[in-house]
Amino acid sequence: PSLASARYGKDNVRVYKVHRNQETGVQTVTEMTVCCLLEGAIETSYTQADNSVVVATDSIKNTIYIKAKEHPVHPPELYASHLGQHFLDKYAHISAAHVKVVVHRWTRMEIDGKPHPHSFYRDGEEKRTVEVAATRDGISIKSGINGLTVLKSTGSAFHGFVRDEYTSLAETWDRILSTDVDATWAWKTFPTIAAIEEGVERFNAAWESARNITMKTFAEDESASVQNTMYKMCEQILEVVPESEVIGYSLPNKHYFEIDLSWHKGYKNTGKDAEVYAPQSGPNGLIKCEVSRS
Ligand SMILES: O=c1[nH]c(=O)c2nn[nH]c2[nH]1
């Protein structure tokens, strides 16, 4: 047997960092969960119990905190790139560092109509994500939004699909559409950290654009299907984020079933009279796509 692939490191490293503006007293917080895995000339640690090539996962965990102290943690793309590049610079036998950063929401409270200097709340379990692969050929970055749960009560249809002896689903011109948005945008590979720092504002701008495009398209599109609506989102993000190369979406179709209540005093609760629905935990549709620039 031979080792086909190997990477190891520390997962679920929770990091919090505060920035204190001494002049204004305004404090800003970032909370993230980090996974950092290393690849390289580490085969003998698996095949021959040779630990001399192992940067301990505990040391990797320490490095995650130290790099958060040394570098900005926002935008997460910059922090993840600094963290990944560190392992290439420090350990000649490491060929790649794979860093995943999941940023949690701490939205500043507005108290009596004013932003509070040091109080925040979790307005949703939506996450901002970054996956970085730092290699000696450059740094590839995939940014994303995960767990943004949305629903529209109309403006969604699904008809004209294959109808055969396996089909029981009724066609609809007016249905609820709900999903948990998992969107990603992969950047052109950056040759160096310097190239990333040059124009670093691109990352926050892209996240804002992707989030706004997702919500606006979801809300305004007279959706013919999840497939077509998500494709429209991809087209727009490619256009608005010129350095993006591939846009991906993975959208569960979280069904809300009509409930026929006609057995009870002839209640009308289906079709255009439907008001009370049964939200389904599963099964759910799952619609995926990746759209590239060319
Ligand atoms: O938007 C949808 N796409 C599908 O492929 C599908 N299949 N059942 N319902 C569906 N809704």
Side-chain angles (χ1 to χ4, degrees):
S2 66
L3 195 66
S5 73
R7 62 178 72 171
Y8 80 100
K10 200 69 102 176
D11 192 8
N12 297 309
V13 181
R14 297 184 60 188
V15 184
Y16 165 101
K17 186 176 186 181
V18 62
H19 174 271
R20 302 184 183 91
N21 183 313
Q22 300 304 340
E23 284 70 49
T24 64
V26 173
Q27 304 197 358
T28 304
V29 300
T30 298
E31 184 165 347
M32 57 190 176
T33 304
V34 181
C35 177
C36 183
L37 305 179
L38 306 183
E39 269 188 284
I42 57 173
E43 299 80 1
T44 52
S45 63
Y46 292 81
T47 61
Q48 297 170 31
D50 167 19
N51 290 340
S52 71
V53 298
V54 178
V55 177
T57 65
D58 188 75
S59 307
I60 295 171
K61 177 262 297 168
N62 292 340
T63 306
I64 289 169
Y65 290 119
I66 291 163
K67 294 302 161 184
K69 180 71 179 177
E70 290 174 353
H71 297 287
V73 292
H74 192 75
E77 289 86 353
L78 180 61
Y79 167 72
S81 299
H82 276 298
L83 177 61
Q85 187 62 43
H86 161 81
F87 292 97
L88 303 179
D89 296 345
K90 181 70 181 169
Y91 306 106
H93 73 294
I94 297 301
S95 59
H98 302 274
V99 178
K100 170 133 191 200
V101 175
V102 175
V103 182
H104 311 285
R105 288 175 70 85
W106 283 126
T107 297
R108 189 178 298 282
M109 286 187 188
E110 284 232 346
I111 305 297
D112 298 333
K114 288 184 301 177
H116 195 272
H118 57 256
S119 296
F120 309 87
Y121 66 107
R122 179 64 49 85
D123 68 333
E125 285 308 307
E126 170 196 346
K127 307 301 176 189
R128 177 172 173 180
T129 64
V130 173
E131 291 184 65
V132 159
T135 76
R136 302 192 185 282
D137 297 327
I139 301 172
S140 64
I141 304 177
K142 187 163 72 169
S143 305
I145 293 165
N146 194 277
L148 170 59
T149 300
V150 293
L151 178 144
K152 63 192 306 186
S153 56
T154 187
S156 169
F158 187 62
H159 49 78
F161 49 88
V162 169
R163 191 146 224 101
D164 60 17
E165 67 275 27
Y166 293 93
T167 308
S168 60
L169 181 68
E171 294 190 302
T172 176
W173 281 257
D174 181 359
R175 69 175 180 177
I176 293 162
L177 181 60
S178 180
T179 190
D180 304 324
V181 174
D182 172 358
T184 58
W185 47 102
W187 299 87
K188 63 168 191 181
T189 300
F190 294 91
T192 60
I193 284 276
I196 290 168
E197 294 197 304
E198 175 64 38
V200 71
E201 66 283 347
R202 68 166 70 79
F203 297 112
N204 285 342
W207 177 80
E208 292 274 354
S209 298
R211 193 169 189 272
N212 292 340
I213 286 166
T214 298
M215 299 253 239
K216 180 176 170 67
T217 308
F218 178 83
E220 294 182 345
D221 187 39
E222 283 302 325
S223 176
S225 65
V226 175
Q227 287 89 332
N228 185 239
T229 300
M230 73 206 297
Y231 187 80
K232 291 176 179 177
M233 295 171 180
C234 293
E235 289 179 312
Q236 293 173 77
I237 295 174
L238 278 171
E239 192 175 327
V240 169
V241 184
E243 292 174 293
S244 63
E245 290 194 329
V246 181
I247 315 300
Y249 275 82
S250 176
L251 300 179
N253 192 350
K254 302 172 74 179
H255 306 298
Y256 286 64
F257 286 172
E258 292 186 359
I259 304 169
D260 185 337
L261 296 177
S262 57
W263 53 274
H264 181 78
K265 302 178 185 175
Y267 280 16
K268 294 181 178 307
N269 191 52
T270 58
K272 63 178 176 35
D273 299 309
E275 295 172 287
V276 179
Y277 294 73
Q280 301 295 301
S281 304
N284 60 265
L286 180 58
I287 319 292
K288 291 174 174 278
C289 76
E290 285 191 335
V291 179
S292 59
R293 188 165 293 283
S294 47

